[in-house]
Amino acid sequence: MAENATFTVDAQLPTDEKKVQTFTTQSFGTKRKRAVLLNPPGTQRYFRDYFCTLVSKAQYYYHPVDLIYLSGILDNAGYYLDCVDAIAEGLTKEETWARVQQFEPELVVYLIASPSYDEDVPFLTELKQRIPNATFVGSGDIYREIREKALEIHPFCDAVLTDFSTPDFVRWLNRDQDEIFENIIYTSKQGQVLAGVEKHGHGFYEMPIPRWDLWPLEKYQFPFSVQRKWATVLTDFGCPFSCTFCPMSTTGYKLRDIDTVMDELRLLRALGIHEVFFRDQTFGVNRVRTQELLRRIKSEFPELRWTCWSRVDLVNEEFLTAIRDAGCHTIMFGIESANEDILKKYKKNTKREQMERALGTTRRLGLRSVGTFVVGLPGESAESIRFTIGYACKLPLDYASFNIATPRFGSTFRKVMKEQGTINLDRMTYDSSRTTPDWVEEVKADDIPNEQIFELQRLAIRKFYLRPGYLFRRLVSLKSFYQFTTQLHEGWDLLFSNG
């Protein structure tokens, strides 16, 4: 065929000038910008998102909520996206490198986290070498603390994002000139580091609906779901409480516009999803707004089933009845400890009487309950931990999670330990879920040895889950083959794969 040949047709083509311009133009329009949202691969099921990082103790694996919501934000900003969750999809490093390279992105937004730090850094260094012209923007718990130092020690990092829920990221991407943007840290064209303050805000906020259709929804697993496919939804951001061991207490607190929550639930329903984990740190704090949200869910989504977090000092029979009637089947509580002095010291400020009342009402109303506990907070004795283990077994809990006290990046607990000089500042890898807590500079005489803390965590898991009466109740409560297989796999991994 000649170089300038064109396709010919027998049909009579339009003669209108504008139409002729349309079918004869050689312009292909403006090329859409391409971005990859990347949860890197790992040798374990790392949770890198929402500043609360850890390792899955069993088979369960949640959606990377930062990237989920950024998919809606960047799509709304005109980006063509590839959403790569290498852990959920089981991708190797080589497979992930190849997939990202093939997409030829101009922008890579990646997660980095304390538990996976030693794997994340070499992986991202190699990826940057393969696509050097792409802009790499990182988000994660570590970056909240090291901030502009990230640009120095991580040559792959072009910018740091400290809050995915604000418009700041898109404003920075669309900037006409270099200037300071809140929640963004980057180097200007003149070589100056511009570090915007981390500012999460309060009040109300809006976010575009995520591109849930771009994520491998069948690859995620939630131990408390009653349906195979599920999604994670935020109706707020941050937490209004001040528990010093939790990084979410330093992220402000703001409420998402209910209309956008409902729009997201409509999209999920269209995708065949009728199970949701409302990942608000404390669902139902604003009672008036919560009543409106529950009314609308009950009216428009009677088939929706869901799980949420709350606090034992916030719930009462009226609230628990309302969430049950709107589709909630499981509620998660941060119990943390049976030692009220410890709870007061670390600003949890709950009491055993509140725990017993809340959990008793929860069970009576037919809701399942989950209690999370922290083992080994400084000032706690081995005797106190054993008391908490025994107390957990007496509470009417359906599930329990025992985690090791960890100076998480961004938490007040870590800040205090830094000021006291009792923490190893060179260490970047921490995991509260399954790792011996050897993070202190020197174990004092009245501290519990690290190995003993780890053994107490293992003891707690065995004591709680291997009770004959508990095992019988769990077995008869299962209502489907999916629930049976999920619980079997989760239980086996929890009890026998974490030694």
Side-chain angles (χ1 to χ4, degrees):
M1 182 179 291
E3 183 177 348
N4 295 323
T6 59
F7 293 105
T8 59
V9 295
D10 294 329
Q12 182 66 41
L13 297 175
T15 57
D16 177 85
E17 183 177 350
K18 292 186 181 295
K19 292 182 178 179
V20 171
Q21 289 176 358
T22 299
F23 67 74
T24 60
T25 182
Q26 296 184 34
S27 171
F28 294 97
T30 303
K31 182 181 178 182
R32 288 188 74 185
K33 295 166 287 187
R34 304 168 76 86
V36 167
L37 295 171
L38 175 63
N39 186 25
T43 57
Q44 301 182 78
R45 297 182 186 88
Y46 295 117
F47 293 101
R48 299 182 175 98
D49 65 316
Y50 209 9
F51 314 126
C52 283
T53 61
L54 67 158
V55 178
S56 173
K57 300 189 197 73
Q59 298 285 324
Y60 61 89
Y61 195 67
Y62 306 161
H63 314 90
V65 69
D66 311 42
L67 300 182
I68 295 291
Y69 282 97
L70 282 170
S71 70
I73 291 169
L74 290 177
D75 178 73
N76 193 58
Y79 280 83
Y80 178 47
L81 302 175
D82 188 15
C83 300
V84 183
D85 190 336
I87 291 183
E89 297 178 60
L91 301 178
T92 64
K93 292 184 293 185
E94 291 74 16
E95 290 169 337
T96 310
W97 286 326
R99 177 164 161 185
V100 176
Q101 279 183 270
Q102 186 176 18
F103 192 72
E104 299 180 346
E106 298 157 89
L107 173 66
V108 175
V109 183
Y110 64 88
L111 295 180
I112 188 169
S114 175
S116 56
Y117 182 82
D118 291 340
E119 295 180 44
D120 294 345
V121 171
F123 171 82
L124 292 164
T125 299
E126 173 66 21
L127 181 60
K128 181 67 170 179
Q129 291 172 355
R130 292 174 179 238
I131 48 173
N133 294 326
T135 299
F136 277 53
V137 179
S139 178
D141 60 343
I142 287 175
Y143 284 171
R144 290 188 67 203
E145 179 172 313
I146 67 173
R147 291 181 55 79
E148 51 263 49
K149 187 178 178 182
L151 305 178
E152 174 188 342
I153 66 175
H154 295 160
F156 51 82
C157 181
D158 297 305
V160 168
L161 174 64
T162 57
D163 187 330
F164 62 86
S165 70
T166 72
D168 301 317
F169 186 34
V170 172
R171 290 172 183 160
W172 176 75
L173 290 171
N174 294 333
R175 69 191 184 281
D176 295 321
Q177 61 183 14
D178 289 338
E179 57 183 292
I180 292 178
F181 294 85
E182 292 178 349
N183 295 305
I184 299 290
I185 304 168
Y186 70 108
T187 304
S188 70
K189 294 177 181 177
Q190 289 72 37
Q192 179 185 5
V193 174
L194 302 178
V197 65
E198 179 179 332
K199 187 175 181 180
H200 303 288
H202 298 274
F204 289 85
Y205 75 105
E206 294 183 9
M207 285 193 298
I209 306 305
R211 286 295 306 271
W212 278 105
D213 55 307
L214 299 179
W215 295 92
L217 298 179
E218 71 286 351
K219 300 292 186 181
Y220 300 95
Q221 186 162 310
F222 189 43
F224 313 123
S225 65
V226 297
Q227 301 183 50
R228 178 67 186 87
K229 289 177 67 174
W230 60 286
T232 301
V233 174
L234 293 180
T235 81
D236 65 23
F237 181 96
C239 183
F241 295 95
S242 303
C243 309
T244 59
F245 51 79
C246 179
M248 297 309 297
S249 65
T250 62
T251 58
Y253 181 63
K254 54 193 176 186
L255 303 171
R256 185 179 172 196
D257 178 70
I258 290 181
D259 287 341
T260 66
V261 176
M262 298 302 289
D263 286 342
E264 184 173 356
L265 294 178
R266 293 183 189 106
L267 170 63
L268 291 170
R269 180 172 59 187
L271 294 172
I273 295 175
H274 306 289
E275 173 96 22
V276 163
F277 174 26
F278 285 119
R279 203 172 157 189
D280 304 4
Q281 297 299 302
T282 310
F283 187 87
V285 174
N286 184 315
R287 283 294 202 255
V288 174
R289 174 182 176 274
T290 301
Q291 288 175 345
E292 174 63 12
L293 177 61
L294 294 176
R295 182 191 67 78
R296 294 180 65 174
I297 289 175
K298 185 177 179 180
S299 173
E300 189 170 346
F301 304 98
E303 77 287 352
L304 188 68
R305 297 294 175 262
W306 48 280
T307 300
C308 68
W309 283 97
S310 195
R311 286 175 56 107
V312 296
D313 55 350
L314 278 183
V315 303
N316 56 24
E317 184 163 349
E318 180 185 15
F319 173 80
L320 292 170
T321 301
I323 64 172
R324 182 199 62 186
D325 293 347
C328 179
H329 55 72
T330 303
I331 184 166
M332 304 166 70
F333 296 105
I335 305 297
E336 320 308 355
S337 175
N339 186 324
E340 292 185 3
D341 290 335
I342 288 291
L343 294 172
K344 184 176 181 180
K345 177 180 179 180
Y346 291 96
K347 297 187 178 181
K348 181 71 180 185
N349 296 321
T350 51
K351 300 183 181 300
R352 291 197 297 273
E353 178 187 3
Q354 294 169 326
M355 301 171 194
E356 294 161 15
R357 182 173 62 247
L359 291 168
T361 306
T362 298
R363 172 161 289 185
R364 179 165 53 81
L365 293 175
L367 288 161
R368 298 185 303 181
S369 61
V370 184
T372 61
F373 296 83
V374 179
V375 177
L377 285 163
E380 189 172 29
S381 66
E383 181 182 359
S384 173
I385 295 174
R386 290 191 180 94
F387 176 71
T388 293
I389 295 171
Y391 187 67
C393 294
K394 294 177 182 177
L395 288 172
L397 285 166
D398 295 289
Y399 305 93
S401 175
F402 298 92
N403 303 293
I404 292 175
T406 304
R408 290 179 166 185
F409 287 87
S411 67
T412 304
F413 176 32
R414 180 178 176 84
K415 180 181 178 182
V416 170
M417 296 204 71
K418 286 174 63 179
E419 293 171 350
Q420 294 174 345
T422 56
I423 189 172
N424 180 357
L425 294 177
D426 294 327
R427 179 176 174 179
M428 301 293 275
T429 54
Y430 296 93
D431 168 29
S432 64
S433 55
R434 59 195 291 177
T435 309
T436 305
D438 52 344
W439 37 262
V440 294
E441 285 287 345
E442 181 180 353
V443 177
K444 299 178 182 178
D446 57 347
D447 288 337
I448 309 173
N450 290 316
E451 287 298 335
Q452 187 178 3
I453 292 176
F454 182 71
E455 286 304 316
L456 287 167
Q457 182 202 33
R458 299 296 305 145
L459 174 67
I461 293 170
R462 292 193 300 268
K463 283 270 191 180
F464 185 88
Y465 283 104
L466 292 181
R467 293 171 290 158
Y470 172 83
L471 291 171
F472 177 75
R473 287 195 304 273
R474 282 269 55 77
L475 185 63
V476 299
S477 70
L478 302 176
K479 296 181 173 62
S480 69
F481 181 71
Y482 165 71
Q483 286 183 288
F484 174 77
T485 55
T486 297
Q487 295 294 309
L488 180 64
H489 291 151
E490 294 290 325
W492 181 269
D493 275 10
L494 182 65
L495 289 165
F496 304 113
S497 300
N498 291 279

